[in-house]
Structure formats: structure tokens, C-alpha cells
Amino acid sequence: MYYGDIKRVDVANGVGVRVSIFVSGCPHHCKGCFNEETWNFDYGQPYTKKQEDDIIKYMEPDHITGLTLLGGEPMFPTNQEALLPLLRRVKETYPNKDIWCYTGYLFDRDILGKMCKESQVTEEFIRYIDILVDGPFILERKNLKINFRGSDNQRIIDVKKSLASGDIVHWEGEVS
């Protein structure tokens, strides 16, 4: 896997101050994408154990509330495989910090309906995600007044509650 950027301080892609990794490779090619260069799976630099170690270190300060995965497409199968060891380490090292993931796939149809049934990696991967922002960016539905999403078709899903209930549970977090 390649990545385009690792932000040590990100306040735009989830609640609080976060560490974010922008992975490379995206099959969706949404019109108006803010990060088109990451569509290319070979964009940026190779993701290695060093970047994983760096992210774990960047997350250490108490003011860091969690990790955000975006891109590109973190839920693309090869990206999941590369990121899974990081997710395991984050939850083991920082059990009280959350993980957000942005994806153009739909949680119910694509991830649970197909990916989890076809891949044990996806099944484990999704269990580490706390909040999932799902759905493709749709330029015609762009909305600058909503938090944490680019277009109003995208959902903010509480993954843990959704998996427990068997239904989509929308995140009801407070944003100050």
C-alpha cells in the first residue's frame, strides 16, 4: 500500500485532535473529489512498519483523541490488509482512543453485505472502527454546512452500535 500523507494534527476529519492517514488508491473516482491524486494506487510513498510505528507514537499525547483513515479508499481490500496491523496496535495501545474511517462504500450493502462475507480481513477490520463515514461524495449534493461529510448523502455511522443491533445506527455525537 502507498499513502499520500500522514497528518499528526487533524481537526477536520473526526471529533477532537486526531492523527490521520490518507491512503492511496480509490476505485470510486467521485466527481469533485478533494483528493483526486490519491485515486492512483501508487501515489505518494510506500506504507511500511516505520509509518505504523510513527502513527502509534504520534497518538501518544493525551490531547490526541483518535485516528482517522481516509484517502483514497481505506476499505479497498489491499488497503485493509495493510492497515489491519495498525488498527490492532491502536486498539491495544490506546483502548480509549477512537478510530474513524471514511469510505465511498456503503456500510450495509457493500461492507456488511459483500466484503465481510468474502473476507475475514474485512470482518476483523470493521470491528476496530468506531465511526464510519460512508457513501460516495456526490458533487451535486455537496453541503458545506454539515459536519464531517462532503455531501449530504453520506452517513456517519456508529459501527459498534450498528453491529450490536443489526441495524444502521447513526452517530449522535456532539460537536462544539
Side-chain angles (χ1 to χ4, degrees):
M1 179 185 88
Y2 281 70
Y3 71 98
D5 196 11
I6 296 172
K7 293 195 180 292
R8 294 174 71 162
V9 176
D10 183 354
V11 296
N13 296 300
V15 173
V17 181
R18 317 182 65 72
V19 175
S20 294
I21 179 168
F22 292 77
V23 302
S24 295
C26 183
H28 307 300
H29 299 184
C30 300
K31 178 179 155 189
C33 175
F34 83 102
N35 211 6
E36 261 185 58
E37 62 272 5
T38 63
W39 292 357
N40 182 338
F41 283 85
D42 297 323
Y43 172 76
Q45 303 171 52
Y47 176 80
T48 67
K49 179 81 162 67
K50 181 193 180 316
Q51 283 74 40
E52 180 181 311
D53 292 342
D54 288 347
I55 290 169
I56 294 297
K57 182 177 164 103
Y58 298 157
M59 291 185 68
E60 186 176 355
D62 290 340
H63 70 274
I64 300 295
T65 56
L67 173 69
T68 299
L69 311 171
L70 49 144
E73 178 55 77
M75 292 300 302
F76 192 79
T78 55
N79 288 345
Q80 285 182 50
E81 291 171 15
L83 291 168
L84 187 55
L86 171 65
L87 299 188
R88 288 178 186 135
R89 281 184 70 191
V90 167
K91 286 302 185 177
E92 180 180 300
T93 309
Y94 306 112
N96 296 320
K97 297 188 184 204
D98 62 13
I99 298 175
W100 282 51
C101 181
Y102 284 75
T103 181
Y105 294 109
L106 294 176
F107 181 62
D108 40 355
R109 185 189 76 198
D110 302 318
I111 297 170
L112 296 180
K114 294 178 188 167
M115 291 178 175
C116 281
K117 291 177 179 167
E118 296 170 1
S119 170
Q120 289 182 324
V121 171
T122 302
E123 220 177 291
E124 182 180 358
F125 189 96
I126 203 67
R127 285 195 312 261
Y128 292 114
I129 304 299
D130 296 291
I131 304 296
L132 185 77
V133 181
D134 84 335
F137 171 73
I138 299 175
L139 184 60
E140 295 76 21
R141 294 184 67 179
K142 182 176 181 176
N143 185 340
L144 299 176
K145 295 179 181 175
I146 55 177
N147 290 316
F148 308 123
R149 293 163 288 161
S151 56
D152 59 20
N153 62 294
Q154 296 171 312
R155 304 177 292 185
I156 304 176
I157 298 170
D158 185 317
V159 174
K160 307 276 188 253
K161 289 181 181 177
S162 296
L163 292 174
S165 74
D167 291 316
I168 298 287
V169 177
H170 294 272
W171 177 71
E172 296 180 12
E174 293 293 318
V175 179
S176 51

